[in-house]
Amino acid sequence: MTDRAGTFDGVHRRNLSKVLGHVHLEGPLSRARLTAMTGLNRSTVASLVAELTARGLTIEQAPDPTNRVGRPSPVVAPDPRVLAIAVNPEVDAVTIAAVGIDGGIPARERIEVDHLPSPDETAELVASALDRWRSGDLRDARFVGVGLAVPGLVRASDGLVRFAPHLLWSDVPIRALVEAATGLPTAVGNDASLGAIAEHLFGAGRGVDDMVYLNGGASGIGGGLIVHGRPVGGSAGYAGEFGQNRPGIAMIDDRRAAEGVLEDEVSRARLLEVVGLDHGDEPALAAALAATDSTAVADEVGRQSRILATALCNAVNVLNPSLIVLGGFLATLAERDLGALEHAVAAQAMPAASEGLSIRVAALGENRLLIGAAEIAFADLLADPLVR
Amino acid sequence: MTDRAGTFDGVHRRNLSKVLGHVHLEGPLSRARLTAMTGLNRSTVASLVAELTARGLTIEQAPDPTNRVGRPSPVVAPDPRVLAIAVNPEVDAVTIAAVGIDGGIPARERIEVDHLPSPDETAELVASALDRWRSGDLRDARFVGVGLAVPGLVRASDGLVRFAPHLLWSDVPIRALVEAATGLPTAVGNDASLGAIAEHLFGAGRGVDDMVYLNGGASGIGGGLIVHGRPVGGSAGYAGEFGQNRPGIAMIDDRRAAEGVLEDEVSRARLLEVVGLDHGDEPALAAALAATDSTAVADEVGRQSRILATALCNAVNVLNPSLIVLGGFLATLAERDLGALEHAVAAQAMPAASEGLSIRVAALGENRLLIGAAEIAFADLLADPLVR
DNA sequence: CACTATTTGTTGCGCTTGACCCCAAATCCG
DNA sequence: CGGATTTGGGGTCAAGCGCAACAAATAGTG
C-alpha cells in the first residue's frame, strides 16, 4: 500500500484487502459471513466482492445448500487461477511449485541436482518451470509473483542472501536474479521464518497472535516469531535465529559443544549418531528413536530436551507467547513426551508466562515452506488488491 | 477505536489520531509540516486541526518567526491542559505526577512511606492528589486518565497485578481500585515495559522501530520490547522479563547462582557488595565503581558484563533489533566501557544481526516511568481523539 | 400447498469527508 | 516596492460507505 492511508482511496483498498484476505485465509465464505467478519455493510461487501471478481481475484459460486432459514448467500472463493511460484533451494534439490491463492498446489516439481545449486541455476530452473507451466496445464493462470524460501540469512530490504552456509551462497542478490529471469516480482525469506508464517496462517498456529516457531533441520535450528499477529523480521530481516543462542545449561555434564550454542547442543546429527543411523529422514529418525530402549539414547534425548526447554523458557519470558510450535527434528524430539517438555518449560519459565502457553507440533507437512514462500509472494496483492 | 475501521468515520478518527499523535510526539508543529508528515491535503489538515482545537486537545499559536519565504504557517501544539495522572508505587514511596499531553510535568509528588504501600492506600493517595490538583493550580486542567507503573507482573486484559514481589502485592485488581477511587479510566503496566515505551517515544530510542530495552533495578532486571514500532505485551502482557532468563555462561567459574538466572548473576546487589557499599543510589554506585581500581571490582564487573553480553546476544539473534537501550545499573555497568560490550555482543551474536546494532544508555532520567505511565493513560485518547 | 418468519441480495439515495481549485495573505528578496 | 514563493481559506466536487426499502429465496407450520 502506498501512502494512501487515511484517504478514501485508502479505505477502499483496505476493505478490498480485508475481504480478499479473509477468503484467502479461511477459504470459501458466504457473503453473509464476510459482512459479519468485516463489520461492513451488506451492500458494501457486495460491491467489494464484485470488484474483486471483476479483477479476477475471486469467484462467486452458487450458494451452499445450508439448512438455514433465509435467502441463501452466494459463496465467495479465491480464484484458483491466481498463482504464485514458490521455490525452495536445498543442497540436493530445488523444489518449485505453483501455489494458488486458494491454497491449492496445482503443480510441484522437485528437481534433484548432483551438485550444489548455484544462484543462476536456481533462477534458470524457476524460469523454465514457469515457461513450461505457462504453455501447459496452467495456460489460463495468472502468476503474480515468486517467493523463495532460502536456508540462510536473507536481508529483507533487497532480498540479498547474506549467507547460506549449506548452499555456499554468500551475498547473492537472488531476488534480482530471479526477477530478471522470470520478469515477476520476487520476494525472498529465510526458510524457517517462512515456516513460521505458514504454520501461523494455515497450520498449528491458526488464529494465534503471539507465537514462537522453532524448526530443527539437518543443518541447525531456525525459527520465526509472530507478534501482534505479524511476522517479526527485525531491523534487517534476520530475526528468528534461535539456533545461534546460548541457553543456560544447568548440568555441567550436559554441555557438549565448547561454545554452548543451541544448535550444537541440540542437533539432529547427535540424535542420528546415538541411534546409530548414518543418514536418515525424519520418519526414519522418529522410528529409530521409538524402537530403541537404549539408555544412551534416552540420556541423549533427555539432555537435548533439557537444553531445549531452557532455550524455550528464555523465549517465553521475553515474548510471553501463547503458543510454541516445533517442527523438524525438534517435533520428533518433543513428540516423544510433549507433556514432559511443557512441564520442564513451566518449571523454569516465569509461572505467569507459562500459564497460557501451549506447545504443539507443526501441523503442515512437506509443503510448509512452499506455502510460506507463496505467502510472501502474495503479500503485496493481499495488502492492496489494486496494485498494477 | 471501535470496529469503525474501514468506514469513513474510521478514516476521520484515524486522521485526527495521526495529527494529534504527531504533535504529541514531536511537540509544536506548523500546519505545513503536518500536511507533509500526514500526506493529507492542506485543507484536510486545517479542518482536522480545527476540530482538535475545538475539542480542547490542541492549541493554535501564532506562526514561528521562521526565516523562510512564503506565508507563515500557524503552529499547532498539544493543549498543555490535557493531563494524565502517572503513578509509580515503590517499596519506600509512591510517586504521583500530572503529566501533560505536551510532555510537561506541571505537578509531581513523591510521597515517602515508612511501610509497604498497600493497594488501597495507593489508590487513596492518587485520589487525594487528584482532588488537591483539581481544586488548586490545575483547576482548569482536564484529567483524561491514570497510568500506573507497577514493579511486577501486570495482566494486560484487566490491569490485575499478578505478583509484585517487593510490594508484596499478589493478584491485586489495582486498575479497578484506582478507577473506583478516582473515577478516571486507568491503565496499568509493568514498570520496565513502560520505561521501554518512554525511551522509545521520547528517549534514546526515538524513531527506532525495533528495539530492546533492559533495565537494571534494585530488585532485578526487567525490560521491554518494541517490534514494528509497537510495544510487545505478549499474550497476557508479561513480555519483557529478561531477568528470569538463563543465558549460557561460557566460563564455569563465572556462575554464582545455582539456577543461573540472569538477575541473580548480573545484579546491583553484587556490585554494591564488591565496592563495599551497603545501600546507595545509582550515582553513588557509579562513583564508587569509577573511584576504585581494585581487581576484585574489575573482575566482578567483567564477569557481569560477560554474562550480560550473552543475554543480549540471545535477544539480538532472535529479534534482530537495531538498538539496545540499557537503563538503571545496567547503564552504569555498560557505560564504563560501552565499546567493549558492543564488541562482546558482536563477537557472540550472528555477525549479520549485530551489523546494524547499536547499544545506548537510556536517555530519560527519573521521570522515565512517569512518562511511560502517562503514555498508556493517553493511549485511548491518542488512538481515537473522539472518545467520550 | 399457502402462509409466515427469517435471512440476505439489490437498488437508489444521502451524507460524510477528503481532494481540488482559485484566490488572498504573508513573508523574503532584490 | 514589486515579484516570487509558500501557505491559509472557502467553495465545489466526487468517491464511497451506510441506510432503508424492497425483492428474493429458503425453512417451518398447519
Side-chain angles (χ1 to χ4, degrees), chain A residues 8 22 31 49 69 87 122 124 141 155 160-161 172 190 200 211 262 281 327 330 343 347 388:
Chain A
F8 287 142
H22 275 126
R31 257 159 57 180
V49 169
V69 177
V87 187
T122 304
E124 281 313 310
R155 188 161 69 195
L160 182 89
V161 175
V172 168
N190 169 267
H200 166 56
M211 174 188 128
L262 178 64
D281 54 7
L330 294 180
H343 211 267
R388 257 165 319 124

Side-chain angles (χ1 to χ4, degrees), chain B residues 107-194:
Chain B
R108 181 191 154 121
E109 296 182 8
R110 183 180 156 91
I111 302 162
E112 312 257 351
V113 289
D114 57 359
H115 55 278
L116 290 179
S118 76
D120 288 310
E121 189 182 359
T122 304
E124 281 313 312
L125 287 173
V126 175
S128 82
L130 176 60
D131 281 346
R132 254 179 294 125
W133 291 335
R134 265 186 171 151
S135 56
D137 293 348
L138 305 176
R139 191 183 310 270
D140 60 348
R142 173 178 156 206
F143 291 92
V144 299
V146 182
L148 279 91
V150 176
L153 292 176
V154 179
R155 188 161 69 195
S157 55
D158 56 357
L160 182 88
V161 175
R162 291 298 305 280
F163 183 49
H166 307 95
L167 297 175
L168 295 179
W169 291 7
S170 182
D171 288 335
V172 168
I174 189 70
R175 184 170 104 186
L177 291 175
V178 174
E179 280 186 343
T182 62
L184 289 176
T186 300
V188 190
N190 169 266
D191 53 357
S193 301
L194 295 181

Side-chain angles (χ1 to χ4, degrees), chain B residues 310-335:
Chain B
T310 303
L312 294 181
C313 285
N314 288 349
V316 166
N317 287 331
V318 171
L319 294 162
N320 182 210
S322 47
L323 178 65
I324 294 176
V325 174
L326 298 174
F329 84 86
L330 293 181
T332 308
L333 190 67
E335 221 161 11

Side-chain angles (χ1 to χ4, degrees), chain B residues 6-8 31-32 42-43 46 68-74:
Chain B
T7 91
F8 288 141
R31 263 170 40 188
R42 283 210 301 265
S43 56
R68 284 180 49 204
V69 168
R71 178 173 177 168
S73 191

